[in-house]
Amino acid sequence: MTEKRAKVVAHSNIALAKYWGKASVAENLPAVPSLSMTLDGMRTTTEVVFDAALAKDQAELGGVVLAGRPLERVVALLDRVRALSSCRLRARVVSSNDFPTASGLASSASGFAALALGATRALGLTLSSEEVSALARASSASAARSLFGGFVALGANAHQAEQVAPAAHWPLVMLVAVTTQSPKATGSTEGMQHTSRTSPYYPAWVEHAPRIYAEVRRAVLAKELGPLGLAMEHSALLMHASMIAAAPAVIYWSPITLAVMAQVRELRAAGTEAYFTMDAGPHVKVLTTQENALRVEQSLGVVPGVERVIWCGVGPDAHLVEAK
Ligand code: DP6
């Protein structure tokens, strides 16, 4: 057969306890433990076709052909998968997100998780989800977590993620407030490298992150939203403080980010449980219960500058759609 293909879906994830900084740059191992919630409302669909007719690997995302560094990262992952098999065929990768790519939300997490799963399944490799997670982690550490549904941990120095609890454990809602796009942000890989090299607060982040992670993990397992929300906010703010203290500063927030944070605090003061977190961009993700989600969604939607709010429940494992 001169063609081997698979089509897969992987869901995005948002870290409740953040990963920021590498223990090994060469192996892409995280310096701190992280724990995420997989999102049912944001997913990447990827088809990988290994084809004897191709002279080179090619990839497109949302109809845009990749070149330069983004293509190199795809080829590097395909090379790692080919090294595990006897296949030397080049591949065509066609990927799309069901969330707005242009908004700057397109995280590498669901993308590399889908690519790792799609490429291994296309070649018929029988790897465990943990082994596929390790392949995805080498490309982007947050992608290791997107192989699994529910609540997912990636330890410090860990090669692969592990599921802490399945989606059915706790039906929380993450509302993603998409803010007006600011000019090109620093990529997370570059931002964390710069933070670790230049921020006097980076050692403090690495020192305190494991304790916050332990509290996030405990609160997820105990289903205690109050303690979880506070630990989640602390993780995000400590991570952003380390970036802001870099030289020059890495600031992902816009005035709208701050306005959404203020809105969440007001909701809480008025008795609605809701908590924020932010990643390498200006958007704010707000964690709440199913009962409160509609009210929270409406109050985030009226903050000036919020373009839309994406509703995400807890998502499933990355999975195969079709193969042949
Ligand atoms: C702020 O996984 O994108 O979203 O491993 O260099 O590809 P690389 O970094 P990446 O970093 C994600 C950082 C974060 C926090 C998180 O998802 O834990």
Side-chain angles (χ1 to χ4, degrees):
M1 190 160 63
T2 57
E3 210 184 82
K4 298 162 192 277
R5 71 169 72 216
K7 191 173 186 178
V8 300
V9 165
H11 291 253
S12 192
N13 73 77
I14 296 294
L16 312 178
K18 301 296 185 193
Y19 145 61
W20 194 253
K22 299 175 195 292
S24 161
V25 173
E27 287 190 84
N28 202 37
L29 296 172
V32 297
S34 58
L35 194 153
S36 58
M37 170 177 151
T38 301
L39 305 182
D40 70 354
M42 291 173 65
R43 54 186 211 153
T44 300
T45 303
T46 296
E47 183 169 43
V48 182
V49 185
F50 288 92
D51 183 348
L54 295 172
K56 280 184 182 166
D57 291 322
Q58 37 182 265
E60 62 173 75
L61 172 60
V64 178
V65 175
L66 300 187
R69 184 72 192 124
L71 179 62
E72 282 170 22
R73 289 181 81 179
V74 169
V75 172
L77 181 40
L78 292 170
D79 282 342
R80 281 196 295 280
V81 174
R82 277 187 286 254
L84 298 174
S85 82
S86 54
C87 174
R88 295 295 166 262
L89 300 179
R90 302 293 114 183
R92 179 167 62 250
V93 177
V94 178
S95 198
S96 62
N97 296 327
D98 71 356
F99 49 93
T101 307
S103 75
L105 272 173
S107 93
S108 50
S110 51
F112 284 113
L115 181 60
L117 185 64
T120 54
R121 290 301 182 89
L123 294 185
L125 295 170
T126 46
L127 301 181
S128 66
S129 298
E130 285 75 13
E131 289 168 316
V132 180
S133 170
L135 281 168
R137 191 266 314 140
S139 294
S140 185
S142 57
R145 301 185 308 237
S146 271
L147 268 306
F148 301 95
F151 300 87
V152 186
L154 179 67
N157 270 298
H159 286 253
Q160 60 203 39
E162 52 159 21
Q163 189 180 60
V164 172
H169 169 69
W170 197 10
L172 292 173
V173 175
M174 188 72 85
L175 296 165
V176 180
V178 180
T179 64
T180 313
Q181 189 53 21
S182 56
K184 173 115 183 74
T186 312
S188 43
T189 306
E190 192 191 335
M192 69 177 77
Q193 292 295 91
H194 176 70
T195 304
S196 68
R197 279 194 302 266
T198 69
S199 174
Y201 292 178
Y202 179 73
W205 156 250
V206 173
E207 185 191 335
H208 291 280
R211 194 171 37 78
I212 303 175
Y213 162 82
E215 172 61 0
V216 164
R217 187 178 178 119
R218 187 203 66 74
V220 164
L221 289 172
K223 298 196 250 185
E224 292 176 7
L225 182 57
L228 170 61
L230 293 180
M232 180 184 82
E233 290 191 354
H234 193 197
S235 175
L237 293 171
L238 195 56
M239 176 185 78
H240 281 276
S242 76
M243 303 173 189
I244 291 168
V250 179
I251 302 175
Y252 288 110
W253 298 354
S254 75
I256 306 157
T257 312
L258 291 164
V260 177
M261 288 160 68
Q263 185 80 328
V264 171
R265 288 203 190 90
E266 270 179 37
L267 276 165
R268 231 158 49 218
T272 300
E273 276 203 300
Y275 301 87
F276 58 74
T277 186
M278 294 79 62
D279 294 287
H283 317 291
V284 183
K285 292 91 177 195
V286 180
L287 187 66
T288 190
T289 59
Q290 276 182 333
E291 303 80 69
N292 287 332
L294 192 58
R295 183 165 353 127
V296 176
E297 183 190 33
Q298 281 163 353
S299 64
L300 297 177
V302 298
V303 175
V306 171
E307 288 183 348
R308 58 180 289 204
V309 179
I310 304 171
W311 182 303
C312 300
V314 188
D317 288 353
H319 55 274
L320 190 65
V321 179
E322 59 186 47
K324 70 173 177 204

mmCIF file of all heavy atoms in Angstrom, residues 6 19 33-34 56-57 81 83 86 88 95 117 133 136 156 197 209 217 227 264 310:
data_model
loop_
_atom_site.group_PDB
_atom_site.id
_atom_site.type_symbol
_atom_site.label_atom_id
_atom_site.label_comp_id
_atom_site.label_asym_id
_atom_site.label_seq_id
_atom_site.Cartn_x
_atom_site.Cartn_y
_atom_site.Cartn_z
ATOM 1 N N ALA A 6 -4.887 8.380 8.708
ATOM 2 C CA ALA A 6 -5.761 8.372 9.883
ATOM 3 C C ALA A 6 -6.256 9.787 10.124
ATOM 4 O O ALA A 6 -5.552 10.766 9.847
ATOM 5 C CB ALA A 6 -5.020 7.867 11.109
ATOM 6 N N TYR A 19 2.154 25.269 33.629
ATOM 7 C CA TYR A 19 3.528 24.898 33.228
ATOM 8 C C TYR A 19 4.157 26.158 32.640
ATOM 9 O O TYR A 19 3.570 26.794 31.768
ATOM 10 C CB TYR A 19 3.441 23.773 32.193
ATOM 11 C CG TYR A 19 4.493 23.776 31.099
ATOM 12 C CD1 TYR A 19 5.851 23.653 31.412
ATOM 13 C CD2 TYR A 19 4.134 23.878 29.760
ATOM 14 C CE1 TYR A 19 6.813 23.633 30.407
ATOM 15 C CE2 TYR A 19 5.077 23.844 28.749
ATOM 16 C CZ TYR A 19 6.421 23.726 29.082
ATOM 17 O OH TYR A 19 7.354 23.714 28.080
ATOM 18 N N PRO A 33 5.369 20.998 37.810
ATOM 19 C CA PRO A 33 4.211 20.158 37.504
ATOM 20 C C PRO A 33 3.012 21.012 37.126
ATOM 21 O O PRO A 33 2.842 22.118 37.650
ATOM 22 C CB PRO A 33 3.949 19.420 38.828
ATOM 23 C CG PRO A 33 4.505 20.318 39.885
ATOM 24 C CD PRO A 33 5.638 21.089 39.269
ATOM 25 N N SER A 34 2.183 20.500 36.215
ATOM 26 C CA SER A 34 0.987 21.242 35.795
ATOM 27 C C SER A 34 -0.217 20.299 35.800
ATOM 28 O O SER A 34 -0.059 19.072 35.776
ATOM 29 C CB SER A 34 1.197 21.846 34.411
ATOM 30 O OG SER A 34 1.486 20.844 33.454
ATOM 31 N N LYS A 56 8.226 15.468 0.040
ATOM 32 C CA LYS A 56 8.463 16.187 1.292
ATOM 33 C C LYS A 56 7.213 16.164 2.140
ATOM 34 O O LYS A 56 6.102 16.076 1.599
ATOM 35 C CB LYS A 56 8.751 17.668 1.001
ATOM 36 C CG LYS A 56 10.133 17.980 0.558
ATOM 37 C CD LYS A 56 10.262 19.483 0.409
ATOM 38 C CE LYS A 56 11.659 19.816 -0.083
ATOM 39 N NZ LYS A 56 11.759 21.169 -0.548
ATOM 40 N N ASP A 57 7.399 16.342 3.457
ATOM 41 C CA ASP A 57 6.238 16.511 4.323
ATOM 42 C C ASP A 57 5.592 17.860 4.019
ATOM 43 O O ASP A 57 6.286 18.850 3.758
ATOM 44 C CB ASP A 57 6.673 16.516 5.797
ATOM 45 C CG ASP A 57 7.159 15.149 6.242
ATOM 46 O OD1 ASP A 57 6.579 14.131 5.824
ATOM 47 O OD2 ASP A 57 8.129 15.106 7.025
ATOM 48 N N VAL A 81 8.012 9.900 14.827
ATOM 49 C CA VAL A 81 7.073 8.790 14.634
ATOM 50 C C VAL A 81 7.632 7.803 13.603
ATOM 51 O O VAL A 81 7.600 6.585 13.806
ATOM 52 C CB VAL A 81 5.685 9.323 14.211
ATOM 53 C CG1 VAL A 81 4.742 8.170 13.871
ATOM 54 C CG2 VAL A 81 5.089 10.192 15.320
ATOM 55 N N ALA A 83 10.667 7.199 13.020
ATOM 56 C CA ALA A 83 11.796 6.482 13.641
ATOM 57 C C ALA A 83 11.306 5.271 14.433
ATOM 58 O O ALA A 83 12.068 4.337 14.683
ATOM 59 C CB ALA A 83 12.596 7.430 14.538
ATOM 60 N N SER A 86 9.024 1.234 10.407
ATOM 61 C CA SER A 86 9.913 1.008 9.260
ATOM 62 C C SER A 86 9.525 1.926 8.103
ATOM 63 O O SER A 86 10.134 1.906 7.052
ATOM 64 C CB SER A 86 9.813 -0.457 8.828
ATOM 65 O OG SER A 86 8.449 -0.752 8.607
ATOM 66 N N ARG A 88 9.215 5.063 5.786
ATOM 67 C CA ARG A 88 10.028 6.242 5.434
ATOM 68 C C ARG A 88 9.240 7.186 4.539
ATOM 69 O O ARG A 88 9.787 8.108 3.946
ATOM 70 C CB ARG A 88 11.337 5.810 4.739
ATOM 71 C CG ARG A 88 12.267 5.016 5.648
ATOM 72 C CD ARG A 88 12.784 5.861 6.830
ATOM 73 N NE ARG A 88 13.399 5.056 7.875
ATOM 74 C CZ ARG A 88 12.787 4.659 8.990
ATOM 75 N NH1 ARG A 88 11.537 4.993 9.220
ATOM 76 N NH2 ARG A 88 13.414 3.934 9.886
ATOM 77 N N SER A 95 -5.087 20.032 8.946
ATOM 78 C CA SER A 95 -5.582 20.241 10.296
ATOM 79 C C SER A 95 -6.504 21.446 10.342
ATOM 80 O O SER A 95 -6.315 22.413 9.598
ATOM 81 C CB SER A 95 -4.348 20.487 11.183
ATOM 82 O OG SER A 95 -4.661 20.309 12.524
ATOM 83 N N LEU A 117 -1.116 11.620 17.641
ATOM 84 C CA LEU A 117 -2.055 10.493 17.564
ATOM 85 C C LEU A 117 -2.315 10.108 16.106
ATOM 86 O O LEU A 117 -2.301 8.924 15.747
ATOM 87 C CB LEU A 117 -3.370 10.853 18.271
ATOM 88 C CG LEU A 117 -4.381 9.714 18.366
ATOM 89 C CD1 LEU A 117 -3.846 8.563 19.217
ATOM 90 C CD2 LEU A 117 -5.707 10.212 18.949
ATOM 91 N N SER A 133 1.414 10.487 24.297
ATOM 92 C CA SER A 133 1.557 11.726 25.074
ATOM 93 C C SER A 133 3.024 12.166 25.124
ATOM 94 O O SER A 133 3.330 13.356 24.994
ATOM 95 C CB SER A 133 1.003 11.498 26.491
ATOM 96 O OG SER A 133 1.313 12.558 27.345
ATOM 97 N N ALA A 136 3.959 13.767 21.876
ATOM 98 C CA ALA A 136 3.404 15.120 21.778
ATOM 99 C C ALA A 136 4.174 16.082 22.680
ATOM 100 O O ALA A 136 4.454 17.223 22.285
ATOM 101 C CB ALA A 136 1.928 15.101 22.168
ATOM 102 N N ALA A 156 6.731 17.564 36.966
ATOM 103 C CA ALA A 156 8.010 18.198 36.651
ATOM 104 C C ALA A 156 8.922 17.100 36.121
ATOM 105 O O ALA A 156 8.946 15.986 36.661
ATOM 106 C CB ALA A 156 8.604 18.824 37.914
ATOM 107 N N ARG A 197 15.663 32.936 31.749
ATOM 108 C CA ARG A 197 17.002 33.540 31.635
ATOM 109 C C ARG A 197 17.113 34.875 32.346
ATOM 110 O O ARG A 197 18.177 35.204 32.868
ATOM 111 C CB ARG A 197 17.358 33.750 30.151
ATOM 112 C CG ARG A 197 17.878 32.521 29.447
ATOM 113 C CD ARG A 197 18.527 32.890 28.120
ATOM 114 N NE ARG A 197 17.589 33.585 27.239
ATOM 115 C CZ ARG A 197 16.862 32.968 26.312
ATOM 116 N NH1 ARG A 197 16.993 31.677 26.107
ATOM 117 N NH2 ARG A 197 16.021 33.642 25.564
ATOM 118 N N ALA A 209 5.597 26.732 42.608
ATOM 119 C CA ALA A 209 4.634 26.061 41.721
ATOM 120 C C ALA A 209 4.226 24.658 42.210
ATOM 121 O O ALA A 209 3.038 24.316 42.142
ATOM 122 C CB ALA A 209 5.181 26.004 40.288
ATOM 123 N N ARG A 217 -4.471 19.828 42.633
ATOM 124 C CA ARG A 217 -4.752 18.398 42.483
ATOM 125 C C ARG A 217 -5.673 17.898 43.611
ATOM 126 O O ARG A 217 -6.644 17.184 43.363
ATOM 127 C CB ARG A 217 -3.429 17.627 42.481
ATOM 128 C CG ARG A 217 -3.597 16.169 42.156
ATOM 129 C CD ARG A 217 -2.242 15.441 42.125
ATOM 130 N NE ARG A 217 -2.482 14.046 41.856
ATOM 131 C CZ ARG A 217 -2.022 13.373 40.806
ATOM 132 N NH1 ARG A 217 -1.257 13.972 39.925
ATOM 133 N NH2 ARG A 217 -2.311 12.110 40.644
ATOM 134 N N PRO A 227 -11.439 26.354 46.981
ATOM 135 C CA PRO A 227 -9.980 26.187 47.078
ATOM 136 C C PRO A 227 -9.322 25.988 45.706
ATOM 137 O O PRO A 227 -8.237 26.514 45.455
ATOM 138 C CB PRO A 227 -9.830 24.934 47.942
ATOM 139 C CG PRO A 227 -11.083 24.892 48.771
ATOM 140 C CD PRO A 227 -12.170 25.430 47.870
ATOM 141 N N VAL A 264 -14.854 39.226 37.156
ATOM 142 C CA VAL A 264 -14.906 37.939 37.869
ATOM 143 C C VAL A 264 -14.883 38.188 39.380
ATOM 144 O O VAL A 264 -15.639 37.573 40.137
ATOM 145 C CB VAL A 264 -13.738 37.025 37.420
ATOM 146 C CG1 VAL A 264 -13.645 35.782 38.309
ATOM 147 C CG2 VAL A 264 -13.921 36.619 35.962
ATOM 148 N N ILE A 310 -16.567 31.540 24.649
ATOM 149 C CA ILE A 310 -16.695 30.143 24.206
ATOM 150 C C ILE A 310 -16.955 29.270 25.439
ATOM 151 O O ILE A 310 -16.196 29.311 26.408
ATOM 152 C CB ILE A 310 -15.413 29.662 23.483
ATOM 153 C CG1 ILE A 310 -15.077 30.593 22.315
ATOM 154 C CG2 ILE A 310 -15.572 28.223 22.998
ATOM 155 C CD1 ILE A 310 -13.720 30.322 21.670
#
